[in-house]
Amino acid sequence: MNESSSDLTWLRGKSVLVTGARVSGLAVVRPLLDLGAVVTVTDSDRDALDGAARIGAAVVLQDDLLGDPAALAAFSLVVTSPGFRPDSPVLAAAAERRIPVWGDVELSWHVDRAELYGPRTRWLVVTGTNGKTTTTSMLASILEAAAIESVACGNIGLPIVDALRRTPHPSVLAVELSSFQLFWAPSVHPAAGVVLNIAEDHLDWHGGMDGYVHAKARALSGDVAVVGLDDARAASLAAGSPADEVVGFRLGEPAPGELGVRSGVLVDNAFGENVELLAAEEVEPSGPSGILDALAAAALARSTGVQAGAVRTGLQSYRVGPHRAAVVRELGGVTFIDDSKATNPHAARSSILAHERVVWIAGGLLKGAVIDDLVVEIADRLVAAVVLGRDGIQIAEALARHAPDVPVVRLPSGDDAGVTHGAEDADAVMRVVVAHAAGRAAPGDTVLLAPAAASLDMFVDYGHRGRSFADSVLQLGVADIGSSRS
C-alpha cells in the first residue's frame, strides 16, 4: 500500500470511513469518491447523515458501528473531522486495529500533492491562539492585490479540498489551521507558515500545554517558518524548526531577518533590506494586535516574492470582519464593541487592552484555560463586569480575588447558571446581560463583548453570540446608559 504524498492510487476500491457528517466531513467525501474509494460516513446524529447519503456515501450511526466489533476491520483508512479527539471511541478503536487515521487537512494535502484537481499549490499556513482569522484575511487581501490566483481556506470557513476544486485553480492557498487540524495533519509542510502567539487554549482536548504547543509547531515544518517574537512561547519554537529559513516579527525595531516597526512604519528587514511597507496608523484593526497580524501576513506574502506595493495595497484595503472588535453602536457616549471571536483569555486580553475604561462581558466555556493572569493584567481597565455561561463562575471568582472593587453581575444566576434550552433562551440571557452592562457604563466607557471563552454552552457558535449581542445593543435607549450606577 503506497501512502506517499504524491500517490493516492492505493485508495481505489478501498473502503474509507469518514467520521463526522458536518462541513469538514462532507467536504472530503467527493475527493475520496473521485479517487475511487468506497466511502462510509459515521456520525452520532442521524439527521446529519442524510447529507452524506445525498452525495453518494454509505452511512452508519456511530453507535451501530461501535456495536459491531468486526465492522471497523473493513476499512483501510479513517478520515476524521478535526474536532474528534484521539481517544474518541471510533478513533481509538481504529488505532487499536492499526488503521491509519488522517484529518481532513491531511487528506487535502495528499490530494493537492497528487494533483487530483490541478497543479500543486503553495500553502501559506497561519496558526496561533489569537489573530488567525484576521491574519489569514489580511494575507488573502495582499495576494489579491498582487493578482495571484489564491483562496483563503481551512479553519476560516472554506474546506481546503473545496478550495482545490475551484475554477480557476488557485496557485496559492492562505490556510488558517487550528491546533486540532494541525494535530491530525503530520504530513503538511507548507511553503511558509506562521505561529502568531501561543497561550492556554484547548488544553482539555490536547491533554495539556505541551500537546497544544506541539500541534501548533507543525505550521513551522515547511520551507519558511515565521514566529511572533513578542510572544515568548511562539519565539521559542524558532530554534526547533526544521525550516530552511526562520523569520521573526515584532512591534519594535526589526533586526536582520525580521519584520517590525520603525518610526511608525511597518518595515521588512527579512525579505529585503529595510523595505518600508505602510504606516502603522493605516492598519485595521488598530492597536498592537492588528499591527502584529499585519506584519505576520506581510511576512508570509513576502516569502513568496510579493512586492512591497502589493503588501501596502492589500493591507490598506483590508477591513475587519464581523465579531472581531467590530463597533456595533455608540449610544449616550458609550461605545459597544462585538469581539465575540475572542474565545480565549489571550484574545480577550488584546481586545480589552485596546480601551481605557471597559464594562466587560465575559463567559462561556473556558476549555481548561486559567483566567487569573488575565484578570490581574486588565483589572485597572475594568469599570464593571457581567459574566455569563457555564464557566462564568470561574471568571467571577477570579474577579473577586484580583479585582475586588469591580462590580460583577453573573447571569443566569442560581441553579440554572450556564444552562439554556435553545437559541431563544440564550438570546434572552444576552438581552439581560447587555442591559446590565449598559446600566453600569458612563460616557467615555466601552461595553465590550470579549468573552475569553467558547460559545457552545449557550449559543450555536461565536457568530450567533455576536449577533445576539448586537441585536440586544440595538434595542437600547439613551435612558439605559448608566441606569444602574449609584
Side-chain angles (χ1 to χ4, degrees), residues 72-312:
L72 271 173
F75 297 105
S76 300
L77 174 68
V78 175
V79 180
T80 182
S81 298
F84 280 73
R85 292 166 50 144
D87 59 358
S88 62
V90 172
L91 300 188
E96 185 178 339
R97 290 164 176 78
R98 298 186 179 181
I99 301 170
V101 178
W102 291 0
D104 63 305
V105 174
E106 178 81 357
L107 177 67
S108 301
W109 176 260
H110 288 290
V111 164
D112 187 29
R113 300 300 96 178
E115 300 185 333
L116 180 63
Y117 297 118
R120 294 182 180 185
T121 62
R122 292 171 64 84
W123 288 37
L124 304 179
V125 168
V126 179
T127 196
T129 303
N130 183 36
K132 293 187 297 295
T133 299
T134 299
T135 302
T136 306
S137 300
M138 286 176 165
L139 175 60
S141 184
I142 293 170
L143 295 171
E144 181 179 3
I148 294 172
E149 199 64 56
S150 56
V151 184
C153 55
N155 196 54
I156 201 169
L158 178 70
I160 299 170
V161 286
D162 287 351
L164 293 172
R165 294 172 61 203
R166 283 197 167 188
T167 303
H169 185 70
S171 61
V172 177
L173 299 181
V175 188
E176 177 186 332
L177 293 182
S178 69
S179 60
F180 305 155
Q181 290 169 314
L182 285 162
F183 177 90
W184 290 118
S187 299
V188 172
H189 299 296
V194 62
V195 175
L196 301 168
N197 43 60
I198 298 177
E200 289 185 345
D201 199 17
H202 303 301
L203 303 190
D204 48 354
W205 197 98
H206 289 281
M209 196 67 182
D210 288 347
Y212 180 61
V213 173
H214 180 73
K216 290 292 190 187
R218 285 184 169 171
L220 306 179
S221 63
D223 300 329
V224 179
V226 182
V227 296
L229 297 175
D230 292 343
D231 183 276
R233 285 194 178 103
S236 71
L237 298 178
S241 171
D244 296 331
E245 183 176 6
V246 179
V247 173
F249 64 96
R250 64 172 76 244
L251 286 175
E253 182 93 8
E258 298 176 4
L259 287 81
V261 181
R262 177 185 297 125
S263 301
V265 176
L266 275 63
V267 173
D268 174 8
N269 201 18
F271 303 102
E273 186 174 345
N274 294 315
V275 177
E276 294 190 351
L277 301 175
L278 82 164
E281 64 183 12
E282 296 183 79
V283 174
E284 181 182 326
S286 61
S289 60
I291 292 171
L292 287 169
D293 292 344
L295 288 167
L300 292 177
R302 295 281 285 164
S303 77
T304 68
V306 172
Q307 297 300 306
V311 173
R312 180 181 304 110

Side-chain angles (χ1 to χ4, degrees), residues 345 388 478:
L388 71 162
V478 174

Side-chain angles (χ1 to χ4, degrees), residues 9-57:
T9 57
W10 65 273
L11 281 174
R12 184 170 300 279
K14 300 292 186 179
S15 294
V16 177
L17 178 68
V18 175
T19 65
R22 275 37 175 212
V23 175
S24 297
L26 295 182
V28 302
V29 171
R30 174 49 55 196
L32 287 168
L33 292 174
D34 289 344
L35 288 163
V38 179
V39 183
T40 300
V41 178
T42 188
D43 199 289
S44 59
D45 184 343
R46 187 183 301 275
D47 292 338
L49 290 173
D50 290 343
R54 284 194 293 270
I55 58 176

Side-chain angles (χ1 to χ4, degrees), residues 14 16 20 31 42 45 54 62 64 145 175 190 239 254 256 270 280 297 312 328 349 366 392 411 413 432 440 445 467:
K14 300 292 186 179
V16 177
T42 188
D45 184 343
R54 284 194 293 270
Q62 183 173 299
D64 292 343
V175 188
R312 180 181 304 110
V328 175
R349 172 189 179 275
L366 285 173
L411 294 166
S413 59
V432 178
R440 291 287 182 179
D445 292 348
R467 291 189 300 273

Side-chain angles (χ1 to χ4, degrees), residues 325-336:
V327 175
V328 175
R329 181 185 190 188
E330 293 184 11
L331 179 68
V334 175
T335 303
F336 293 82

